[in-house]
Each structure stands twice: as structure tokens, then as C-alpha cells.
Amino acid sequence: MTVQVRLFLMMVLQLAVWGAWAPKLSPYMGLLGFAPWQQSLVGSCWGVAALAGIFFSNQFADRNFAAERFMAVSHALSGLALIGVAFSTTFWPFFACYMVYSLLYVPTLSVSNSIAFANLKDPAKQFGAVRMGGTVGWMLVSWPFIFLLGAKADIEHIRWIFLVAAIVSFALAAYSLTLPHTPPRREAEGVDKLAWRRAVKLLGVPFVGVLFAVTFIDSVIHNGYFVMADGFLTNRVGIAGNLSMVVLSLGQLAEIGTMLILGPVLVKLGWKLTMIIGVLGHAARFAVFAFFADSVAVIVGVQLLHGVCYAFFFATVYIFVDAAFPKDVRSSAQGLFNLLILGIGSVVASFLFPTLIGRLTTKVTDVSGAELQIVDYQTLFLVPTGMALAAVVILALFFRPPERGPTEVVTP
């Protein structure tokens, strides 16, 4: 088995852990009876871990541990934490276990990238294909839930999202020990301790500051999608609880296609127009959610826009940062935008959208006397639609990169 295939399988397992629980986390907390503020605290764990993980993995783990051993230990322990999450039905134990899991798992996202970059002969050309394994893993892990969840999945069924994630995590812990040895990086390798400070100062450059602001808006919208989508599909659209994750995984299928054409699109359309199309994808998807909730076919089909949303904006941002920032602060700049996308955007979305859902929920009594909770999804989805359109206007008017776009096909 070639190194590239081994690294591809690592990415499959890495993202499968995340993909197993992410789509159904918010509706599961609703079934447990967690209040909006409690759901927001749980959602903020990922952001806190992203902040801690960036500094821990970059400044400590990378320089003191062999990367494959760090992965093995982290995934073994995070698997145990996931089992704790699965069997915690009251808030504080659930929160504690989920926080421990987040703190252990998030650093492995950057460490797995480090293993790939260290062991590929030509990372610029090969990493995109290796990273595609993560998209495949996110898609594949949704399929077991057709059998593990019922059409009207309850707490006993849905806790399998964490148990499946734990099983994959243990498998990755074992598999990590078979990965190529990747020794720790030492100070002597020329790590610039001031690179973070210099990267932050570059936010004062107008086109960088504008992109940072738009990335913040779009990351809130993107993370909000995972907060709202599964509950909308099952409660409003009427898709069975054991099929909703498969429906959502169609977005990852589209992501594979859009990532394959991203390079030529960037050359033809340039940075600005490609990013605008990516943000418009969010606006279009949420507008469809708002106005076509009664059409199952339309709602299922619009999931394919996820590929446009991710590749044409987020992947383009990573490529742009690599091209536009000075080489000696490039890694820190990527980390800064990654913190925004995985961390700050996640925290804000975790507080904003559960609060909106709570305010837009009314209790009604049906003919049998049962009490139902009805969410005004149309008003709810018009909020991220408006945010996306505002981001498009900001990009169109104020984002003026030094170059129109790359002159040759590039890969994320």
C-alpha cells in the first residue's frame, strides 16, 4: 500500500469521527431537554477547543511528540470521552464529556495534516487528493445510521451517533500506530515565534481585513447550517430520522465534484467572483429552505449546493491565503483563518441559532390534546440568507485583492 493511500485512509477515519455525530448533535440535545443556553454552551466547546488546539498542536505537540503517537493517544482517549457523552443524559456530565472530547479531538485535525505534509513527496499536488479522504469518510459514516436509527429516532437510537464515532476513533487510534513515523519538529527548524503577531497585523491591510470579516460571517452561516439542518429535515420536511444524515451527506458528494473543478474555475473567474458564488450558494440554499419546505425533492436536491458553498469559498480562502501572504507567516495566517472558521464562527453560531430557534418556537395543542412545538422555519432561515447577501455586497464592493486570480491551476 502506497504512502498516499495510507494517508487517504487516515483522512477517511479522521473526518468520519466528526461526521458521525455532527449532523444530529443539536436535535439530540433537544430530545434530552437541554435549554437553548445549554445547547449553546455545548456548541461552544468546539470553538474553545479550536482555539486551544491551534496553539497546543502548533506550539507544543508538533515539537514534543511523534505525530502518529500523538494521534493514537488522542483518539484512544477521545473515544472514551465519546462513550461518556453517549451515556450522559443530564447536562453537566454531557457537557464535561463533550468538552474533554473536543479538547482531545480538535488538535488532531492539524496534526493529521502535518503527517500528510511531512510524508508526501509533492504536498502541493498530492494533498488535495489525500484530503478528499475526509470528505469520503464523512459521507460513508452516514450510511450505518439507516439501520441503527429508526424512522422516528428516539434518545436510545440517536446515542449511537457517539458510539459509532467512538468505534471509529478507536480504529483510528490503532491505525495511527501503522502510519509513517513523523518525528517532532524542533525549534532549530526555524519556527518564527513572531509569525502569529505579524499575521494578525496583516489584517490591517484592507483586502485582508475585508476577507477576514466576510469569512467570519460565512463561517457563522456555515456552522449554523449544522445546527439547524437535521431538525428542519426531520421535523418540518418530514424526512425519516434514519435517512436525514444520508440526505445531508449529498453535500459532501457535491463537494468532491466542485473541488475537482475548483482550480480551473479560479483561473477563469478569479478570487472575488469565485468567493461571491460560494457565499451566494449559502444564500440560495437557505432561501430554498425558507420558501420550499413542502417540496421534499427540492430540499433534497438543494443539498448539492454544499459543494459550491465549501469549495468556492472556504477552500478558495485557504488557497488565497497561501498565495497572498508572505511565505514566513503563511502557516500562521492559515491558522488564523482556520481559528475563525472552526472556532469563532462555531461559537457564535452555537449561541445565535439555538437562541433564534427558541424565540421562533411556539407551543400548540393538536386535536388529540398533545402539545407540539412548532418552529417558524421561514423566518429562521431568512436570517442566514440575509447575512449571506450582506457578505456578498461587502465582497463585491470592498474586496480588492492584489491579483485577479491565479494564473495556473492550483489545488487546495
Side-chain angles (χ1 to χ4, degrees):
M1 188 184 299
T2 66
V3 170
Q4 192 167 345
V5 172
R6 292 163 66 191
L7 296 173
F8 179 90
L9 292 175
M10 173 190 71
M11 291 297 185
V12 169
L13 295 171
Q14 177 73 44
L15 270 294
V17 176
W18 187 359
W21 57 261
K24 283 196 175 291
L25 175 62
S26 292
Y28 180 68
M29 290 192 291
L31 287 177
L32 292 176
F34 292 175
W37 69 268
Q38 292 173 321
Q39 295 184 38
S40 298
L41 280 182
V42 172
S44 70
C45 291
W46 198 252
V48 171
L51 177 61
I54 284 173
F55 292 101
F56 178 75
S57 60
N58 288 348
Q59 303 300 321
F60 183 71
D62 278 359
R63 302 180 193 177
N64 293 279
F65 300 99
E68 75 281 1
R69 295 174 186 172
F70 178 83
M71 288 275 287
V73 173
S74 296
H75 282 291
L77 294 177
S78 65
L80 293 174
L82 282 166
I83 293 175
V85 175
F87 291 100
S88 299
T89 55
T90 55
F91 175 69
W92 289 112
F94 185 99
F95 174 78
C97 291
Y98 185 80
M99 176 64 88
V100 171
Y101 160 70
S102 301
L103 290 169
L104 289 165
Y105 176 82
V106 169
T108 65
L109 291 169
S110 59
V111 173
S112 61
N113 287 344
S114 297
I115 292 175
F117 281 118
N119 292 284
L120 290 172
K121 292 182 178 179
D122 190 346
K125 293 183 178 179
Q126 296 175 308
F127 181 72
V130 167
R131 177 58 182 79
M132 199 72 71
T135 303
V136 173
W138 190 292
M139 289 174 54
L140 291 178
V141 80
S142 67
W143 286 92
F145 294 103
I146 295 176
F147 310 101
L148 294 173
L149 305 182
K152 298 292 184 182
D154 58 16
I155 291 173
E156 294 301 319
H157 288 113
I158 299 181
R159 70 165 41 133
W160 272 101
I161 62 175
F162 301 112
L163 295 176
V164 168
I167 292 169
V168 179
S169 192
F170 291 140
L172 181 51
Y175 181 70
S176 295
L177 296 175
T178 72
L179 292 171
H181 177 57
T182 307
R185 297 184 300 172
R186 302 300 182 187
E187 292 287 347
E189 293 185 29
V191 177
D192 184 358
K193 293 183 178 181
L194 299 179
W196 269 94
R197 190 182 307 173
R198 293 178 57 206
V200 171
K201 285 184 177 179
L202 284 173
L203 296 179
V205 178
F207 74 88
V208 177
V210 169
L211 182 60
F212 197 75
V214 171
T215 302
F216 167 71
I217 296 171
D218 205 51
S219 66
V220 172
I221 300 168
H222 177 75
N223 284 287
Y225 169 76
F226 292 104
V227 173
M228 299 180 286
D230 190 85
F232 168 68
L233 292 180
T234 55
N235 298 329
R236 175 63 179 86
V237 181
I239 292 173
N242 59 338
L243 294 177
S244 60
M245 291 181 69
V246 175
V247 171
L248 291 172
S249 74
L250 294 175
Q252 278 67 47
L253 179 63
E255 184 181 318
I256 293 175
T258 49
M259 291 287 275
L260 290 175
I261 66 169
L262 178 59
V265 167
L266 277 173
V267 172
K268 186 174 182 62
L269 301 182
W271 303 115
K272 179 188 285 192
L273 186 53
T274 302
M275 290 180 188
I276 286 175
I277 292 172
V279 181
L280 280 175
H282 277 304
R285 179 168 56 179
F286 281 118
V288 168
F289 280 9
F291 295 107
F292 295 92
D294 293 320
S295 176
V296 175
V298 172
I299 296 298
V300 171
V302 81
Q303 302 301 325
L304 296 174
L305 277 178
H306 176 86
V308 173
C309 298
Y310 181 82
F312 283 20
F313 186 77
F314 291 113
T316 298
V317 166
Y318 289 130
I319 297 170
F320 176 78
V321 169
D322 190 69
F325 276 70
K327 186 175 181 179
D328 57 339
V329 298
R330 200 171 288 163
S331 178
S332 294
Q334 293 281 10
L336 193 63
F337 276 83
N338 213 37
L339 171 62
L340 193 62
I341 294 166
L342 289 178
I344 299 172
S346 175
V347 172
V348 173
S350 296
F351 278 89
L352 173 61
F353 293 108
T355 301
L356 283 174
I357 291 172
R359 291 181 178 178
L360 295 171
T361 299
T362 56
K363 295 180 180 180
V364 299
T365 303
D366 64 12
V367 292
S368 65
E371 189 177 80
L372 303 176
Q373 292 189 332
I374 306 298
V375 179
D376 180 1
Y377 280 109
Q378 184 173 89
T379 302
L380 175 66
F381 290 134
L382 287 177
V383 173
T385 301
M387 292 171 64
L389 292 175
V392 166
V393 171
I394 295 171
L395 269 176
L397 295 181
F398 303 110
F399 181 57
R400 299 185 178 90
E403 303 288 341
R404 176 186 174 275
T407 56
E408 59 182 1
V409 173
V410 290
T411 56

mmCIF file of all heavy atoms in Angstrom, residues 34-68:
data_model
loop_
_atom_site.group_PDB
_atom_site.id
_atom_site.type_symbol
_atom_site.label_atom_id
_atom_site.label_comp_id
_atom_site.label_asym_id
_atom_site.label_seq_id
_atom_site.Cartn_x
_atom_site.Cartn_y
_atom_site.Cartn_z
ATOM 1 N N PHE A 34 -32.348 19.852 26.766
ATOM 2 C CA PHE A 34 -31.410 20.928 27.083
ATOM 3 C C PHE A 34 -31.988 22.259 26.615
ATOM 4 O O PHE A 34 -32.512 22.376 25.504
ATOM 5 C CB PHE A 34 -30.062 20.707 26.403
ATOM 6 C CG PHE A 34 -29.281 19.528 26.939
ATOM 7 C CD1 PHE A 34 -28.093 19.141 26.340
ATOM 8 C CD2 PHE A 34 -29.724 18.805 28.035
ATOM 9 C CE1 PHE A 34 -27.358 18.070 26.820
ATOM 10 C CE2 PHE A 34 -29.004 17.723 28.533
ATOM 11 C CZ PHE A 34 -27.818 17.350 27.911
ATOM 12 N N ALA A 35 -31.883 23.274 27.454
ATOM 13 C CA ALA A 35 -32.341 24.622 27.120
ATOM 14 C C ALA A 35 -31.419 25.224 26.061
ATOM 15 O O ALA A 35 -30.282 24.774 25.886
ATOM 16 C CB ALA A 35 -32.342 25.495 28.368
ATOM 17 N N PRO A 36 -31.887 26.263 25.328
ATOM 18 C CA PRO A 36 -31.038 26.883 24.306
ATOM 19 C C PRO A 36 -29.668 27.311 24.839
ATOM 20 O O PRO A 36 -28.653 27.128 24.146
ATOM 21 C CB PRO A 36 -31.874 28.083 23.848
ATOM 22 C CG PRO A 36 -33.291 27.626 24.016
ATOM 23 C CD PRO A 36 -33.273 26.811 25.280
ATOM 24 N N TRP A 37 -29.614 27.869 26.066
ATOM 25 C CA TRP A 37 -28.318 28.312 26.584
ATOM 26 C C TRP A 37 -27.401 27.116 26.850
ATOM 27 O O TRP A 37 -26.172 27.213 26.696
ATOM 28 C CB TRP A 37 -28.478 29.154 27.850
ATOM 29 C CG TRP A 37 -28.962 28.399 29.068
ATOM 30 C CD1 TRP A 37 -30.249 28.238 29.476
ATOM 31 C CD2 TRP A 37 -28.143 27.720 30.031
ATOM 32 N NE1 TRP A 37 -30.301 27.496 30.634
ATOM 33 C CE2 TRP A 37 -29.027 27.165 31.006
ATOM 34 C CE3 TRP A 37 -26.769 27.521 30.186
ATOM 35 C CZ2 TRP A 37 -28.572 26.428 32.095
ATOM 36 C CZ3 TRP A 37 -26.309 26.786 31.272
ATOM 37 C CH2 TRP A 37 -27.204 26.252 32.219
ATOM 38 N N GLN A 38 -27.982 25.974 27.227
ATOM 39 C CA GLN A 38 -27.177 24.781 27.451
ATOM 40 C C GLN A 38 -26.644 24.236 26.128
ATOM 41 O O GLN A 38 -25.478 23.835 26.033
ATOM 42 C CB GLN A 38 -28.010 23.728 28.175
ATOM 43 C CG GLN A 38 -28.372 24.115 29.604
ATOM 44 C CD GLN A 38 -29.332 23.133 30.251
ATOM 45 O OE1 GLN A 38 -30.256 22.636 29.609
ATOM 46 N NE2 GLN A 38 -29.114 22.842 31.528
ATOM 47 N N GLN A 39 -27.497 24.237 25.097
ATOM 48 C CA GLN A 39 -27.046 23.808 23.775
ATOM 49 C C GLN A 39 -25.934 24.722 23.258
ATOM 50 O O GLN A 39 -24.980 24.258 22.616
ATOM 51 C CB GLN A 39 -28.221 23.803 22.799
ATOM 52 C CG GLN A 39 -29.305 22.792 23.143
ATOM 53 C CD GLN A 39 -30.402 22.751 22.103
ATOM 54 O OE1 GLN A 39 -30.140 22.866 20.906
ATOM 55 N NE2 GLN A 39 -31.644 22.588 22.538
ATOM 56 N N SER A 40 -26.052 26.004 23.553
ATOM 57 C CA SER A 40 -25.032 26.958 23.124
ATOM 58 C C SER A 40 -23.701 26.689 23.804
ATOM 59 O O SER A 40 -22.631 26.774 23.177
ATOM 60 C CB SER A 40 -25.492 28.390 23.414
ATOM 61 O OG SER A 40 -26.662 28.696 22.692
ATOM 62 N N LEU A 41 -23.741 26.353 25.095
ATOM 63 C CA LEU A 41 -22.502 26.034 25.813
ATOM 64 C C LEU A 41 -21.833 24.794 25.234
ATOM 65 O O LEU A 41 -20.610 24.758 25.064
ATOM 66 C CB LEU A 41 -22.788 25.827 27.304
ATOM 67 C CG LEU A 41 -22.945 27.076 28.162
ATOM 68 C CD1 LEU A 41 -23.181 26.692 29.621
ATOM 69 C CD2 LEU A 41 -21.703 27.964 28.068
ATOM 70 N N VAL A 42 -22.624 23.782 24.930
ATOM 71 C CA VAL A 42 -22.064 22.579 24.321
ATOM 72 C C VAL A 42 -21.446 22.923 22.965
ATOM 73 O O VAL A 42 -20.333 22.507 22.641
ATOM 74 C CB VAL A 42 -23.147 21.492 24.164
ATOM 75 C CG1 VAL A 42 -22.612 20.318 23.340
ATOM 76 C CG2 VAL A 42 -23.610 20.998 25.534
ATOM 77 N N GLY A 43 -22.170 23.716 22.164
ATOM 78 C CA GLY A 43 -21.651 24.109 20.864
ATOM 79 C C GLY A 43 -20.362 24.912 20.959
ATOM 80 O O GLY A 43 -19.501 24.817 20.086
ATOM 81 N N SER A 44 -20.216 25.672 22.028
ATOM 82 C CA SER A 44 -19.016 26.495 22.170
ATOM 83 C C SER A 44 -17.783 25.670 22.518
ATOM 84 O O SER A 44 -16.656 26.147 22.362
ATOM 85 C CB SER A 44 -19.242 27.569 23.242
ATOM 86 O OG SER A 44 -19.315 26.993 24.538
ATOM 87 N N CYS A 45 -17.969 24.427 22.973
ATOM 88 C CA CYS A 45 -16.815 23.563 23.297
ATOM 89 C C CYS A 45 -15.900 23.415 22.090
ATOM 90 O O CYS A 45 -14.676 23.417 22.219
ATOM 91 C CB CYS A 45 -17.292 22.177 23.740
ATOM 92 S SG CYS A 45 -18.136 22.115 25.325
ATOM 93 N N TRP A 46 -16.502 23.254 20.918
ATOM 94 C CA TRP A 46 -15.721 23.066 19.700
ATOM 95 C C TRP A 46 -14.864 24.296 19.418
ATOM 96 O O TRP A 46 -13.698 24.179 19.032
ATOM 97 C CB TRP A 46 -16.680 22.789 18.551
ATOM 98 C CG TRP A 46 -16.062 22.171 17.348
ATOM 99 C CD1 TRP A 46 -15.834 22.784 16.154
ATOM 100 C CD2 TRP A 46 -15.592 20.844 17.195
ATOM 101 N NE1 TRP A 46 -15.260 21.908 15.263
ATOM 102 C CE2 TRP A 46 -15.102 20.708 15.874
ATOM 103 C CE3 TRP A 46 -15.535 19.738 18.052
ATOM 104 C CZ2 TRP A 46 -14.565 19.517 15.405
ATOM 105 C CZ3 TRP A 46 -15.011 18.559 17.579
ATOM 106 C CH2 TRP A 46 -14.534 18.460 16.267
ATOM 107 N N GLY A 47 -15.443 25.479 19.639
ATOM 108 C CA GLY A 47 -14.686 26.701 19.417
ATOM 109 C C GLY A 47 -13.567 26.883 20.422
ATOM 110 O O GLY A 47 -12.451 27.281 20.072
ATOM 111 N N VAL A 48 -13.852 26.593 21.688
ATOM 112 C CA VAL A 48 -12.818 26.675 22.727
ATOM 113 C C VAL A 48 -11.686 25.712 22.401
ATOM 114 O O VAL A 48 -10.497 26.045 22.506
ATOM 115 C CB VAL A 48 -13.422 26.364 24.108
ATOM 116 C CG1 VAL A 48 -12.325 26.224 25.159
ATOM 117 C CG2 VAL A 48 -14.418 27.444 24.518
ATOM 118 N N ALA A 49 -12.050 24.503 21.976
ATOM 119 C CA ALA A 49 -11.038 23.504 21.637
ATOM 120 C C ALA A 49 -10.247 23.910 20.398
ATOM 121 O O ALA A 49 -9.054 23.625 20.299
ATOM 122 C CB ALA A 49 -11.702 22.146 21.419
ATOM 123 N N ALA A 50 -10.911 24.572 19.448
ATOM 124 C CA ALA A 50 -10.204 25.040 18.257
ATOM 125 C C ALA A 50 -9.148 26.075 18.627
ATOM 126 O O ALA A 50 -8.027 26.058 18.107
ATOM 127 C CB ALA A 50 -11.191 25.629 17.255
ATOM 128 N N LEU A 51 -9.507 26.974 19.540
ATOM 129 C CA LEU A 51 -8.548 27.989 19.993
ATOM 130 C C LEU A 51 -7.381 27.335 20.725
ATOM 131 O O LEU A 51 -6.217 27.598 20.436
ATOM 132 C CB LEU A 51 -9.255 28.993 20.902
ATOM 133 C CG LEU A 51 -8.378 30.084 21.532
ATOM 134 C CD1 LEU A 51 -7.725 30.927 20.444
ATOM 135 C CD2 LEU A 51 -9.201 30.963 22.461
ATOM 136 N N ALA A 52 -7.702 26.433 21.669
ATOM 137 C CA ALA A 52 -6.650 25.747 22.416
ATOM 138 C C ALA A 52 -5.844 24.832 21.504
ATOM 139 O O ALA A 52 -4.618 24.746 21.607
ATOM 140 C CB ALA A 52 -7.268 24.935 23.562
ATOM 141 N N GLY A 53 -6.535 24.180 20.562
ATOM 142 C CA GLY A 53 -5.870 23.223 19.706
ATOM 143 C C GLY A 53 -4.855 23.839 18.776
ATOM 144 O O GLY A 53 -3.802 23.257 18.520
ATOM 145 N N ILE A 54 -5.163 25.027 18.253
ATOM 146 C CA ILE A 54 -4.234 25.679 17.333
ATOM 147 C C ILE A 54 -2.900 25.943 18.019
ATOM 148 O O ILE A 54 -1.834 25.665 17.485
ATOM 149 C CB ILE A 54 -4.842 26.979 16.792
ATOM 150 C CG1 ILE A 54 -5.895 26.635 15.731
ATOM 151 C CG2 ILE A 54 -3.778 27.888 16.190
ATOM 152 C CD1 ILE A 54 -6.675 27.810 15.242
ATOM 153 N N PHE A 55 -2.961 26.449 19.247
ATOM 154 C CA PHE A 55 -1.722 26.752 19.953
ATOM 155 C C PHE A 55 -1.073 25.487 20.497
ATOM 156 O O PHE A 55 0.140 25.337 20.477
ATOM 157 C CB PHE A 55 -1.990 27.749 21.081
ATOM 158 C CG PHE A 55 -2.363 29.108 20.576
ATOM 159 C CD1 PHE A 55 -3.686 29.528 20.553
ATOM 160 C CD2 PHE A 55 -1.401 29.967 20.080
ATOM 161 C CE1 PHE A 55 -4.037 30.772 20.080
ATOM 162 C CE2 PHE A 55 -1.741 31.226 19.594
ATOM 163 C CZ PHE A 55 -3.061 31.621 19.596
ATOM 164 N N PHE A 56 -1.892 24.537 20.967
ATOM 165 C CA PHE A 56 -1.319 23.323 21.546
ATOM 166 C C PHE A 56 -0.632 22.489 20.476
ATOM 167 O O PHE A 56 0.509 22.077 20.624
ATOM 168 C CB PHE A 56 -2.414 22.501 22.230
ATOM 169 C CG PHE A 56 -1.905 21.206 22.800
ATOM 170 C CD1 PHE A 56 -1.159 21.206 23.972
ATOM 171 C CD2 PHE A 56 -2.157 20.000 22.172
ATOM 172 C CE1 PHE A 56 -0.684 20.013 24.499
ATOM 173 C CE2 PHE A 56 -1.689 18.810 22.682
ATOM 174 C CZ PHE A 56 -0.944 18.812 23.856
ATOM 175 N N SER A 57 -1.348 22.262 19.359
ATOM 176 C CA SER A 57 -0.783 21.396 18.321
ATOM 177 C C SER A 57 0.395 22.066 17.625
ATOM 178 O O SER A 57 1.365 21.396 17.255
ATOM 179 C CB SER A 57 -1.858 21.008 17.301
ATOM 180 O OG SER A 57 -2.387 22.148 16.680
ATOM 181 N N ASN A 58 0.329 23.381 17.440
ATOM 182 C CA ASN A 58 1.403 24.074 16.731
ATOM 183 C C ASN A 58 2.613 24.344 17.627
ATOM 184 O O ASN A 58 3.751 24.246 17.195
ATOM 185 C CB ASN A 58 0.903 25.405 16.173
ATOM 186 C CG ASN A 58 -0.033 25.208 14.996
ATOM 187 O OD1 ASN A 58 -0.137 24.113 14.462
ATOM 188 N ND2 ASN A 58 -0.728 26.258 14.618
ATOM 189 N N GLN A 59 2.343 24.706 18.874
ATOM 190 C CA GLN A 59 3.433 25.169 19.732
ATOM 191 C C GLN A 59 3.957 24.096 20.682
ATOM 192 O O GLN A 59 5.025 24.239 21.239
ATOM 193 C CB GLN A 59 2.945 26.361 20.569
ATOM 194 C CG GLN A 59 2.426 27.523 19.745
ATOM 195 C CD GLN A 59 3.477 28.091 18.813
ATOM 196 O OE1 GLN A 59 4.634 28.201 19.182
ATOM 197 N NE2 GLN A 59 3.068 28.437 17.605
ATOM 198 N N PHE A 60 3.197 23.019 20.891
ATOM 199 C CA PHE A 60 3.625 22.022 21.875
ATOM 200 C C PHE A 60 3.693 20.629 21.267
ATOM 201 O O PHE A 60 4.743 19.992 21.231
ATOM 202 C CB PHE A 60 2.680 22.037 23.078
ATOM 203 C CG PHE A 60 3.078 21.088 24.175
ATOM 204 C CD1 PHE A 60 4.194 21.338 24.950
ATOM 205 C CD2 PHE A 60 2.345 19.933 24.413
ATOM 206 C CE1 PHE A 60 4.568 20.462 25.954
ATOM 207 C CE2 PHE A 60 2.711 19.046 25.412
ATOM 208 C CZ PHE A 60 3.828 19.325 26.185
ATOM 209 N N ALA A 61 2.552 20.146 20.770
ATOM 210 C CA ALA A 61 2.502 18.766 20.283
ATOM 211 C C ALA A 61 3.475 18.537 19.128
ATOM 212 O O ALA A 61 4.198 17.537 19.097
ATOM 213 C CB ALA A 61 1.079 18.421 19.851
ATOM 214 N N ASP A 62 3.498 19.468 18.155
ATOM 215 C CA ASP A 62 4.349 19.290 16.984
ATOM 216 C C ASP A 62 5.825 19.203 17.347
ATOM 217 O O ASP A 62 6.611 18.614 16.614
ATOM 218 C CB ASP A 62 4.152 20.458 16.005
ATOM 219 C CG ASP A 62 2.920 20.256 15.136
ATOM 220 O OD1 ASP A 62 2.249 19.215 15.295
ATOM 221 O OD2 ASP A 62 2.621 21.141 14.314
ATOM 222 N N ARG A 63 6.198 19.800 18.484
ATOM 223 C CA ARG A 63 7.614 19.894 18.818
ATOM 224 C C ARG A 63 8.044 18.895 19.891
ATOM 225 O O ARG A 63 9.231 18.801 20.196
ATOM 226 C CB ARG A 63 7.942 21.304 19.300
ATOM 227 C CG ARG A 63 7.598 22.372 18.278
ATOM 228 C CD ARG A 63 7.931 23.751 18.787
ATOM 229 N NE ARG A 63 7.317 24.777 17.952
ATOM 230 C CZ ARG A 63 7.400 26.065 18.193
ATOM 231 N NH1 ARG A 63 8.071 26.505 19.249
ATOM 232 N NH2 ARG A 63 6.810 26.939 17.398
ATOM 233 N N ASN A 64 7.092 18.157 20.470
ATOM 234 C CA ASN A 64 7.441 17.279 21.587
ATOM 235 C C ASN A 64 7.012 15.828 21.407
ATOM 236 O O ASN A 64 7.450 14.968 22.172
ATOM 237 C CB ASN A 64 6.825 17.818 22.884
ATOM 238 C CG ASN A 64 7.439 19.134 23.320
ATOM 239 O OD1 ASN A 64 8.500 19.178 23.920
ATOM 240 N ND2 ASN A 64 6.762 20.233 22.979
ATOM 241 N N PHE A 65 6.166 15.536 20.423
ATOM 242 C CA PHE A 65 5.674 14.174 20.251
ATOM 243 C C PHE A 65 5.770 13.771 18.782
ATOM 244 O O PHE A 65 5.548 14.590 17.889
ATOM 245 C CB PHE A 65 4.205 14.060 20.688
ATOM 246 C CG PHE A 65 3.970 14.407 22.128
ATOM 247 C CD1 PHE A 65 3.498 15.666 22.474
ATOM 248 C CD2 PHE A 65 4.219 13.486 23.131
ATOM 249 C CE1 PHE A 65 3.275 16.002 23.795
ATOM 250 C CE2 PHE A 65 4.005 13.814 24.457
ATOM 251 C CZ PHE A 65 3.530 15.066 24.794
ATOM 252 N N ALA A 66 6.059 12.489 18.571
ATOM 253 C CA ALA A 66 5.912 11.956 17.220
ATOM 254 C C ALA A 66 4.439 12.059 16.864
ATOM 255 O O ALA A 66 3.564 11.679 17.640
ATOM 256 C CB ALA A 66 6.383 10.508 17.173
ATOM 257 N N ALA A 67 4.142 12.571 15.688
ATOM 258 C CA ALA A 67 2.763 12.909 15.332
ATOM 259 C C ALA A 67 1.852 11.692 15.348
ATOM 260 O O ALA A 67 0.701 11.760 15.802
ATOM 261 C CB ALA A 67 2.735 13.571 13.957
ATOM 262 N N GLU A 68 2.348 10.546 14.853
ATOM 263 C CA GLU A 68 1.479 9.361 14.789
ATOM 264 C C GLU A 68 1.150 8.839 16.193
ATOM 265 O O GLU A 68 0.047 8.326 16.433
ATOM 266 C CB GLU A 68 2.119 8.269 13.918
ATOM 267 C CG GLU A 68 3.272 7.515 14.538
ATOM 268 C CD GLU A 68 4.606 8.269 14.501
ATOM 269 O OE1 GLU A 68 4.623 9.421 14.003
ATOM 270 O OE2 GLU A 68 5.619 7.702 14.960
#
